[in-house]
């Protein structure tokens, strides 16, 4: 079949993207689903910094590539071997397909799935195939999803069945923003009720972390960013305190508020100064988590002596340390119960043809979560 998709053919385009148009809306050929694959009509897809980092060249991927990894839709066809999903089911995509059989998957660490990582790096589906073409030209898949398209074929292992009562625009953010942000706090850092939390970088993922810290029982949630409008939103969502991280005394403010440094500091900005701030604001015996993805050449200076003497823990978090098939339905249930109001993160609903303008807003910090609606 033919479908429309946002295709990236060259990284590092000049901004504004409205003028340079790095993403072209093209008609592409989509193969029928193969073994253990599904064909999904996409209803909504979120714009994320992980997409932007491919556009600007910070996360190189094989090109040409149909972008998009945070999306939700309805199954319209299942391939051979798919027994647990059916036509008409609603699904959210996970940006790491988990094979379920490698050592990492068997240990409950789906984010580290070895075949999934290999497939994502090569721009193919979990089974090793491409399903997108333009004549004789192969189009690569983005993180097994390529969700900026009207229809997609993905591995069954890239999809999680969800409650049909959940609107698609809200459902989409569970596949990345919610998993990454909430998971960094409750899974990776293992938040205990009554602890203090600092969240640095208040985009869609960071504000999801704020909501996760509140839902997880943190006694104090300090939100930090350099943009006042994002600090205001964090306060509206329930953060107990906000700090402008560009202030010279920002670290001292966090130490004063928390009584010597927070128990958990989580960084989502994807830049070295933000991570350095999170580390400096973490108290003795505390945990610093980063889920940001700066350029691969970025380096930090750490004091091993300080890490040892203060029994610090410094951790990375990918996919929020989740098993998506287990955790996405639980988070959806929390949302439906009113305890995880992620709908408040959606600031723009746009059309596929407006995607480049959407990435301008994202790059300029003018949006929290933008969602493309295909209906």
């Amino acid at each position: 079949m033919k479908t429309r998709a946002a295709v990236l053919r060259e990284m590092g385009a000049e901004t504004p993207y409205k003028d340079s148009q790095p993403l072209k809306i093209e008609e592409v050929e989509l193969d029928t689903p193969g073994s253990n694959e599904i064909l999904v009509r996409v209803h909504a897809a979120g714009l994320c910094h992980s997409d932007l980092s491919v556009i600007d060249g910070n996360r190189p991927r094989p090109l040409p590539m149909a972008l998009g990894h945070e999306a939700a839709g309805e199954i319209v066809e299942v391939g051979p071997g798919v027994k647990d999903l059916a036509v008409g089911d609603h699904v959210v995509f996970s940006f790491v397909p988990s094979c379920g059989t490698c050592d990492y998957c068997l240990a409950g660490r789906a984010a580290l799935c070895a075949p999934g990582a290999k497939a994502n790096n090569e721009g193919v589906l979990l089974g090793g195939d491409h399903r997108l073409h333009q004549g004789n030209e192969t189009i690569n898949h983005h993180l097994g999803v390529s969700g900026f398209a009207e229809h997609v074929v993905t591995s069954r292992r890239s999809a999680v069945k969800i409650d049909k009562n959940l609107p698609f625009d809200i459902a989409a953010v569970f596949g990345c923003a919610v998993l990454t942000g909430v998971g960094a706090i409750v899974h990776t850092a293992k938040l205990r009720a009554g602890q203090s939390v600092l969240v640095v970088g208040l985009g869609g993922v960071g504000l999801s972390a704020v909501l996760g810290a509140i839902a997880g029982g943190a006694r104090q949630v300090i939100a930090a960013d350099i943009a006042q409008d994002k600090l205001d939103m964090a306060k509206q969502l329930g953060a107990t305190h906000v700090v402008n991280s560009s202030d010279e005394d920002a670290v001292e403010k966090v130490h004063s508020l928390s009584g010597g440094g927070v128990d958990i500091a989580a960084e989502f900005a994807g830049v070295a100064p933000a991570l350095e701030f999170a580390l400096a604001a973490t108290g003795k015996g505390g945990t610093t988590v980063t889920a940001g993805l700066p350029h691969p050449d970025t380096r930090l200076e750490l004091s091993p002596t300080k890490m040892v003497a203060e029994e610090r823990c410094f951790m990375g978090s990918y996919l929020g340390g989740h098993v998506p098939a287990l955790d996405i339905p639980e988070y959806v249930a929390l949302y439906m119960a009113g305890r995880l109001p992620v709908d408040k993160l959606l600031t723009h609903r746009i059309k596929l043809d407006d995607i480049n303008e959407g990435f301008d807003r994202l790059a300029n910090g003018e949006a929290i979560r933008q969602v493309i609606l295909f209906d």
Side-chain angles (χ1 to χ4, degrees):
M1 67 178 295
K2 293 185 182 297
T3 191
R4 294 171 75 236
V7 179
L8 180 72
R9 296 186 172 276
E10 184 176 347
M11 292 178 285
E14 293 185 358
T15 55
Y17 297 133
K18 180 176 71 70
D19 297 331
S20 60
Q21 297 283 304
L23 290 172
K24 303 292 192 300
I25 309 304
E26 302 180 5
E27 186 176 77
V28 297
E29 300 165 25
L30 184 62
D31 296 341
T32 57
S35 177
N36 294 309
E37 295 175 352
I38 56 175
L39 170 64
V40 178
R41 179 190 173 195
V42 179
H43 286 265
L47 275 62
C48 176
H49 270 94
S50 293
D51 306 303
L52 180 60
S53 65
V54 181
I55 296 171
D56 65 19
N58 275 330
R59 302 292 293 177
R61 297 286 180 182
L63 300 180
M65 174 172 279
L67 286 193
H69 67 284
E70 181 185 87
E74 180 179 356
I75 296 177
V76 295
E77 184 179 347
V78 298
V82 178
K83 305 297 184 184
D84 55 344
L85 292 175
V87 172
D89 284 346
H90 292 189
V91 294
V92 166
F93 298 106
S94 166
F95 61 86
V96 179
S98 53
C99 71
T101 58
C102 72
D103 289 347
Y104 296 110
C105 286
L106 291 174
R109 306 191 71 181
L112 303 182
C113 175
K118 182 176 185 294
N120 281 357
N121 288 335
E122 294 177 355
V124 298
L125 300 184
L126 184 61
D129 297 310
H130 290 94
R131 300 296 179 206
L132 286 168
H133 311 275
Q134 272 191 344
N136 294 326
E137 182 183 41
T138 296
I139 307 294
N140 291 290
H141 297 269
H142 185 214
L143 301 179
V145 180
S146 293
F148 297 151
E150 295 168 337
H151 291 83
V152 300
V153 168
T154 71
S155 166
R156 183 268 166 272
R157 294 287 184 171
S158 292
V160 177
K161 183 178 176 180
I162 58 167
D163 189 327
K164 288 186 178 181
N165 292 316
L166 184 66
F168 285 112
D169 55 346
I170 299 168
V173 302
F174 281 87
C176 178
V178 176
L179 273 188
T180 303
V182 178
I185 302 294
V186 301
H187 270 275
T188 306
K190 301 188 186 322
L191 170 68
R192 300 193 311 273
Q195 288 187 308
S196 57
V197 173
L198 168 68
V199 177
V200 184
L202 303 177
V205 179
L207 288 171
S208 292
V210 168
L211 293 175
I214 295 168
R219 65 172 171 83
Q220 182 183 59
V221 180
I222 305 171
D225 202 285
I226 60 174
Q228 187 59 48
D229 59 337
K230 293 183 177 180
L231 295 173
D232 293 341
M233 176 167 278
K235 195 71 174 176
Q236 293 170 17
L237 291 176
T240 57
H241 304 84
V242 295
V243 172
N244 191 313
S245 52
S246 65
D247 292 345
E248 290 186 5
D249 61 345
V251 172
E252 288 75 15
K253 286 180 180 177
V254 174
H255 278 256
S256 177
L257 288 168
S258 59
V262 294
D263 297 310
I264 295 170
E267 179 272 324
F268 303 98
V271 293
L275 182 51
E276 291 167 350
F277 171 68
L279 281 162
T282 305
K284 292 182 179 181
T287 298
T288 308
V289 177
T290 177
L293 290 171
H295 191 280
D297 293 338
T298 300
R299 296 291 182 269
L300 292 174
E301 288 189 11
L302 292 175
S303 167
T305 300
K306 189 177 183 68
M307 298 293 288
V308 172
E310 296 187 359
E311 291 194 345
R312 299 281 206 94
C313 183
F314 181 29
M315 307 177 70
S317 181
Y318 195 54
L319 198 69
H322 287 107
V323 177
L326 295 175
D327 296 304
I328 288 179
E330 290 186 354
Y331 289 160
V332 168
L334 279 175
Y335 166 76
M336 303 291 273
R339 296 175 57 191
L340 196 65
V342 297
D343 56 305
K344 295 180 180 179
L345 305 179
L346 273 60
T347 54
H348 298 76
R349 292 169 173 83
I350 66 175
K351 296 180 179 179
L352 181 62
D353 291 317
D354 300 325
I355 191 169
N356 287 297
E357 291 91 331
F359 277 110
D360 278 326
R361 278 190 292 270
L362 184 61
N364 295 330
E366 298 169 354
I368 301 301
R369 219 36 164 203
Q370 304 174 84
V371 175
I372 297 170
L373 298 179
F374 292 86
D375 296 331

